[in-house]
Amino acid sequence: MKRSPRGGRKPKKRRIVGGVDTHADTHHAAVELMNGGRIADAQFPATADGYAQLLVWMRSYGRLHAVGVEGTGSYGASQARHLRGQGVHVVEVNRPDRRQRRNLGKSDPLDAYAAADAVLAGRARALPKGGDGIVESIRAVHLARSGAINARTACINELRSLLVTAPAELRERMAGTSAQALAAACARLRPAADLADPIQGTTLALRSLAHRCQALTAEIG
């Protein structure tokens, strides 16, 4: 854990605000007074232990009023869940202040302080999604299903595209069929051993795509 304090620690009675700049492997946290005075910043690993250490570190500087967290729908999701589970008011911060970035350049401490500034200034007010319970379960399953639907659509498009340039014998046999009927018909194709023949090579490709499409249909179901 890398720390960069900005002054000595004060009695815990004072109220403070935190900000967190999140990344895949590390999170950078900052602590400010309610008047915007900067106290300290530190870096923590993006792990369960790191989330706990970050909160202990913030609370060592005073009574935590709220914490602004970047990326609560991505890299900051687990950190936000941990903070909420410990009774901390978490605010979603979309991005650092662009004017500060232009003036001072990109840095993790700057972005962490910017997240805290956004909470103090009222620019960030949205509460992050819960990320737990049945809603999170549905989101995860829906994401997998949507990916399968997109893959099946791409597979059907590849089938139709291949048929456009396929030998007439194959193209005419499959003409005018629906997507489901096309996949079923192509799955029944039986290529001969001589794949040097364009008809046989195309037959094998059509059957392979059809089997893939059927497997994706079963997964979606």
Side-chain angles (χ1 to χ4, degrees):
M1 179 177 66
K2 181 181 178 182
R3 296 183 177 177
S4 302
R6 306 289 187 190
R9 299 189 181 187
K10 302 296 183 181
K12 293 187 179 182
K13 289 183 179 181
R14 64 183 179 184
R15 297 174 70 204
I16 58 171
V17 169
V20 184
D21 176 37
T22 60
H23 301 278
D25 300 318
T26 61
H27 291 173
H28 205 98
V31 177
E32 293 185 349
L33 296 172
M34 296 299 291
N35 63 6
R38 296 181 175 183
I39 302 175
D41 66 89
Q43 182 174 285
F44 300 85
T47 63
D49 287 344
Y51 305 148
Q53 293 168 13
L54 184 151
L55 179 56
V56 170
W57 175 82
M58 282 188 173
R59 283 177 165 166
S60 70
Y61 287 96
R63 291 188 295 113
L64 198 53
H65 170 69
V67 177
V69 180
E70 285 186 31
T72 60
S74 56
Y75 292 139
S78 294
Q79 179 71 76
R81 278 196 297 268
H82 177 81
L83 292 171
R84 287 198 309 273
Q86 297 300 311
V88 177
H89 178 59
V90 178
V91 180
E92 182 176 2
V93 178
N94 292 326
R95 58 179 176 265
D97 185 277
R98 290 179 175 177
R99 183 170 54 188
Q100 288 191 37
R101 277 194 168 189
R102 285 195 297 269
N103 293 339
L104 300 176
K106 162 69 177 172
S107 76
D108 294 343
L110 173 63
D111 288 348
Y113 280 117
D117 289 340
V119 176
L120 284 172
R123 294 192 304 272
R125 298 180 180 179
L127 299 179
K129 294 180 180 179
D132 51 16
I134 191 171
V135 173
E136 178 63 14
S137 179
I138 291 172
R139 186 198 67 80
V141 175
H142 179 71
L143 178 65
R145 185 176 186 273
S146 295
I149 290 173
N150 292 336
R152 182 178 64 177
T153 300
C155 189
I156 292 171
N157 290 340
E158 288 170 0
L159 268 175
R160 296 195 184 282
S161 178
L162 188 56
L163 280 172
V164 169
T165 57
E169 178 183 333
L170 285 172
R171 188 173 64 253
E172 292 171 6
R173 193 191 313 178
M174 304 298 176
T177 55
S178 66
Q180 185 175 355
L182 177 62
C186 289
R188 292 193 294 268
L189 293 174
R190 293 293 181 268
D194 183 14
L195 296 180
D197 181 349
I199 293 180
Q200 304 308 320
T202 304
T203 298
L204 176 63
L206 288 170
R207 187 179 70 164
S208 176
L209 287 168
H211 286 167
R212 186 185 307 168
C213 183
Q214 290 177 331
L216 288 166
T217 298
E219 180 183 340
I220 292 165

